[in-house]
């Protein structure tokens, strides 16, 4: 079995807000190496872990083999209504939208622009790879992918260079990006290929679509009193979570002074976190990849 030594992000914060305890059922929708699940189990909860990555599933099962309150299933967090149908509704749902360190660090997985390997990027073991996406989409479609998922200002020249570079591996893709972006326009704080690799990964794994499906399903996934916690790592996902949580909460539009709401504008959820929670300086020092993490939480109140 491949090593899956992932450093769990916002572990204490995520577990605390989910309020695990005896009798509670919580779904860890992005199981990974089982870090969040282990902490939830230690607090007495029953945990269903879901992940599309068979390597992660094997690692988590090995780690939590003695936990009778734990079960792992292969699946996409955007499909929890079907993957976890027999345990719904639950007391909590947790998803960590980041790419795990083992996925980034294994060259053969194709996520890293710093390691040579096949341009794969699949979090699971099915579907087309990033290299196949580049080959199969026309240039205009590839431009749209880079703009929508990577918010890449040089999407058009990058798409052109990626098409020219076919068949393309990870380092070749990174070099294509370097050729496409004028040197003076390279970002100072991130690698010039970061947004392109993010966009390709999100498109290959349909990450934004999965997030939208999850958020839409929350009223059916959670019991009254149940909480959903989402950890995101870039503005595109965090914005989607923030906007959807705001819509779930709603807002009363009645005239001031009425003793109760009669407009029906109040939603069935309340915000647990008014602002996104971020990692501490100590966590970032220990795990620099945690620096962009944001945790938002809502609770179903009726």
């Amino acid at each position: 079995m491949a090593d899956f030594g992932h450093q769990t992000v916002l572990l204490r914060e995520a577990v605390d807000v989910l309020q695990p305890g005896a009798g509670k059922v919580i779904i860890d929708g992005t199981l990974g190496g089982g870090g969040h699940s282990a902490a939830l189990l230690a607090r007495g909860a029953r945990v269903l872990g879901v992940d599309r990555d068979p390597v992660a599933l094997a690692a988590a099962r090995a780690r939590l083999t003695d936990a009778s309150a734990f079960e792992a299933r292969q699946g996409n967090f955007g499909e929890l209504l079907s993957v976890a149908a027999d345990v719904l509704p639950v007391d909590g749902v947790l998803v960590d939208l980041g790419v795990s360190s083992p996925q980034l660090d294994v060259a053969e997985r194709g996520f890293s622009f710093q390691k040579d390997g096949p341009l794969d990027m699949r979090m699971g073991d099915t579907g087309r790879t990033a290299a196949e996406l580049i080959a199969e989409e026309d240039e205009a479609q590839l431009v749209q992918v880079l703009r929508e998922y990577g918010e890449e200002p040089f999407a058009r020249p990058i798409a052109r260079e990626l098409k020219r570079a076919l068949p393309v591996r990870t380092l070749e893709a990174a070099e294509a990006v370097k050729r496409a972006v004028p040197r003076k326009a390279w970002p100072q704080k991130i690698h010039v290929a970061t947004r392109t690799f993010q966009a390709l990964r999100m498109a290959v794994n349909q990450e934004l679509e999965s997030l939208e499906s999850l958020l839409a399903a929350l009223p059916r996934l959670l019991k009254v009193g149940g909480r959903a916690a989402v950890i995101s790592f870039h503005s595109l996902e965090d914005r989607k979570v923030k906007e959807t949580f705001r819509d779930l909460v709603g807002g009363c539009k009645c005239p001031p002074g009425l003793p109760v709401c009669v407009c029906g504008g109040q939603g069935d959820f309340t915000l647990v976190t008014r602002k996104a929670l971020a990692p501490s300086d100590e966590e970032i020092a220990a795990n620099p990849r945690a620096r962009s993490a944001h945790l938002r939480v809502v609770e179903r109140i009726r």
Side-chain angles (χ1 to χ4, degrees), residues 24-27 81 84-93 217-224 226 300:
K24 289 193 174 183
V25 179
I26 297 176
I27 298 174
L81 285 174
D86 57 314
V87 300
L88 298 178
V90 294
D91 300 285
V93 173
L218 288 180
R220 290 176 286 172
L221 292 173
L222 294 172
K223 297 176 180 177
V224 172
R300 186 180 173 193

Side-chain angles (χ1 to χ4, degrees), residues 81-163:
L81 285 174
S82 57
V83 174
D86 57 314
V87 300
L88 298 178
V90 294
D91 300 285
V93 173
L94 169 67
V95 291
D96 176 346
L97 303 176
V99 181
S100 67
S101 297
Q103 290 169 329
L104 284 171
D105 293 340
V106 177
E108 290 73 19
R109 300 297 299 268
F111 287 98
S112 176
F113 44 72
Q114 297 177 325
K115 299 175 182 291
D116 182 52
L119 194 63
D120 192 314
M121 295 194 182
R122 293 174 299 171
M123 290 184 176
D125 52 4
T126 60
R128 63 178 177 174
T129 67
E132 290 169 341
L133 182 150
I134 294 169
E136 294 170 6
E137 302 292 333
D138 62 34
E139 187 174 308
Q141 292 169 319
L142 189 53
V143 169
Q144 183 177 355
V145 165
L146 298 178
R147 284 178 176 165
E148 180 178 356
Y149 297 119
E151 300 177 301
E152 173 55 67
F154 292 92
R156 190 168 299 282
I158 290 173
R160 188 178 306 120
E161 285 295 330
L162 287 173
K163 297 290 283 187

Side-chain angles (χ1 to χ4, degrees), residues 241-263:
V241 175
K242 181 180 179 180
E243 291 172 352
T244 303
F245 282 6
R246 183 185 61 207
D247 292 342
L248 287 171
V249 169
C252 176
K253 300 177 177 61
C254 292
L258 289 182
V260 295
C261 173
V262 295
C263 73

Side-chain angles (χ1 to χ4, degrees), residues 15 18 20-21 23-31 34-50 60 64 67-73 87 90 92 94:
V15 172
L18 286 170
K24 289 193 174 183
V25 179
I26 297 176
I27 298 174
D28 183 350
T30 47
L31 177 60
H36 284 118
S37 286
L40 293 166
L41 289 162
R43 297 270 288 270
R46 176 186 167 200
V47 177
L48 172 61
V50 177
L64 303 172
S68 60
F70 172 74
E71 181 184 356
R73 298 179 186 177
V87 300
V90 294
L94 169 67

Side-chain angles (χ1 to χ4, degrees), residues 272-296:
V272 177
T273 52
R274 292 288 170 183
K275 292 185 177 180
L277 301 180
S280 66
D281 292 340
E282 292 77 13
E283 179 172 1
I284 293 172
N287 179 18
R289 287 175 177 167
R291 65 187 179 274
S292 57
H294 290 81
L295 169 64
R296 296 185 186 274

